[in-house]
């Protein structure tokens, strides 16, 4: 309801419609053949629908990721920004990665090498102390060579004024399914620590910053938060029951 109030305040009818749709997700249930059914809103901001989508994507992508020889997890980011620069920062990040992938495809075509293959997702965190936003891109990649090449190209596009090398983090995938979940999860955390302390002894309960969430949802509206690149997904074989 807070998101709805903020959308009304901003006369943002598009978001208002989306929030009401989210609010009414599964509000009507009916039974058929001793099973309960309901209507899902299928919104990218609905935890229920995101969980359903996450389960479907894991089942589809897990066999592909398991076939990669040396799975790597790469995080690309730039310096945090105030809300008024959030959309521009997201645009720049998506455009930079797209240019990197395009450059490698062209290079692979000319030199008969390999194009980059992987899965990427967009996430944005809110810093409740500094009141800033940190958009970043997570990538699951088949090997460390690909991860380091993308990281190198990223740092060429984002100068020291906009990012630092240490923030572009590469690590081996520990558990494939867990890291795939990390890639597929929501575009933003719902609960945030007010003091930004994540230690177990922290007694400050997490909070929901509705206005920050609204700003993130608006900035991400119309963008593909999750996408594979460099490979085609195998077609799903649908089983047809014989009469």
């Amino acid at each position: 309801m807070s998101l709805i109030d903020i959308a009304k305040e901003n006369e943002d009818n598009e978001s208002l419609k989306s929030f009401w749709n989210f609010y009414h997700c599964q509000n009507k249930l009916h039974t058929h053949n001793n099973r309960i059914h309901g209507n899902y809103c299928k919104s990218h901001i609905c935890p229920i629908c995101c969980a359903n989508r996450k389960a479907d994507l894991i089942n589809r992508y897990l066999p592909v990721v398991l076939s990669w020889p040396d799975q790597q997890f790469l995080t690309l980011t730039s310096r945090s920004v105030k809300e008024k620069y959030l959309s521009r920062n997201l645009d720049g990040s998506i455009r930079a990665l797209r240019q990197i992938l395009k450059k490698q495809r062209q290079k692979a075509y000319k030199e008969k090498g390999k194009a980059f293959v992987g899965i990427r997702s967009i996430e944005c965190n809110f810093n409740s102390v500094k009141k800033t936003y940190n958009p970043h891109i997570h990538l699951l990649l088949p090997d460390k060579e690909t991860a380091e090449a993308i990281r190198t190209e990223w740092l060429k596009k984002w100068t020291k004024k906009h990012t630092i090398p240490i923030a572009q983090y590469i690590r081996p995938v520990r558990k494939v399914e867990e890291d795939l979940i990390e890639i597929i999860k929501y575009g933003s955390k719902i609960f945030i620590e007010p003091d930004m302390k994540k230690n177990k002894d922290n007694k400050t309960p997490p909070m929901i910053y509705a206005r920050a969430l609204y700003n993130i949802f608006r900035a991400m509206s119309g963008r593909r938060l999750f996408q594979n690149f460099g490979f085609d997904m195998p077609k799903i074989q649908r089983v047809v029951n014989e009469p």
Side-chain angles (χ1 to χ4, degrees):
M1 294 306 298
S2 295
L3 290 171
I4 289 171
D5 290 340
I6 295 168
K8 288 179 179 178
E9 175 188 321
N10 293 332
E11 298 182 351
D12 181 2
N13 292 328
E14 181 181 348
S15 295
L16 184 62
K17 181 179 179 181
S18 177
F19 294 150
W20 274 122
N21 190 38
F22 165 28
Y23 179 81
H24 289 296
C25 183
Q26 291 286 293
N27 67 331
K28 292 183 180 180
L29 302 175
H30 59 274
T31 59
H32 179 70
N33 290 337
N34 295 320
R35 297 185 65 183
I36 298 176
H37 302 269
N39 295 319
Y40 291 100
C41 69
K42 298 181 180 180
S43 169
H44 286 284
I45 63 174
C46 175
I48 296 174
C49 295
C50 281
N52 291 340
R53 189 181 301 109
K54 181 167 64 176
D56 176 61
L57 290 172
I58 289 172
N59 289 332
R60 292 172 57 198
Y61 281 93
L62 187 58
V64 176
V65 178
L66 287 173
S67 71
W68 292 345
D70 180 29
Q71 304 103 336
Q72 298 288 319
F73 194 100
L74 169 63
T75 297
L76 300 173
T77 188
S78 58
R79 294 189 185 277
S80 298
V81 296
K82 295 293 185 180
E83 185 270 328
K84 65 178 180 179
Y85 299 116
L86 177 55
S87 290
R88 189 171 72 181
N89 185 285
L90 275 170
D91 285 337
S93 297
I94 295 170
R95 182 169 57 251
L97 181 60
R98 189 181 296 125
Q99 290 171 348
I100 292 169
L101 299 179
K102 181 180 179 181
K103 178 181 177 181
Q104 181 63 20
R105 281 197 305 270
Q106 293 172 341
K107 181 180 178 182
Y109 178 77
K110 292 178 181 179
E111 302 177 5
K112 295 184 178 180
K114 67 174 184 177
F116 288 151
V117 172
I119 301 170
R120 68 91 171 144
S121 68
I122 303 171
E123 185 181 2
C124 181
N125 294 336
F126 174 67
N127 187 312
S128 55
V129 176
K130 297 181 179 179
K131 310 301 180 187
T132 56
Y133 298 81
N134 178 235
H136 49 280
I137 301 175
H138 293 306
L139 298 103
L140 266 182
L141 302 165
D143 51 62
K144 192 170 183 179
E145 179 186 0
T146 301
E148 289 181 340
I150 293 177
R151 180 180 182 272
T152 298
E153 291 297 322
W154 178 268
L155 289 171
K156 288 180 182 178
K157 291 186 174 296
W158 293 94
T159 63
K160 292 182 180 180
K161 178 181 177 181
H162 300 289
T163 192
I164 53 176
I166 196 173
Q168 323 312 312
Y169 183 65
I170 301 174
R171 65 166 173 79
V173 168
R174 303 184 187 98
K175 295 182 179 179
V176 175
E177 190 166 344
E178 290 183 5
D179 282 323
L180 189 55
I181 291 173
E182 179 73 12
I183 286 281
I184 298 171
K185 68 180 185 180
Y186 317 137
S188 178
K189 296 177 181 178
I190 304 299
F191 293 95
I192 301 171
E193 295 80 7
D195 52 9
M196 299 304 294
K197 294 180 180 179
K198 299 181 180 180
N199 57 303
K200 295 181 180 180
D201 297 330
N202 184 21
K203 297 181 180 180
T204 305
M207 297 178 62
I208 298 176
Y209 292 84
R211 194 167 296 276
L213 279 176
Y214 170 83
N215 293 333
I216 293 172
F217 292 153
R218 280 292 297 158
M220 290 188 170
S221 178
R223 305 180 191 276
R224 294 191 67 175
L225 303 186
F226 177 86
Q227 191 175 27
N228 62 286
F229 55 89
F231 68 95
D232 295 323
M233 288 297 299
K235 294 182 178 180
I236 300 174
Q237 299 292 329
R238 299 188 180 278
V239 178
V240 179
N241 294 327
E242 295 292 336

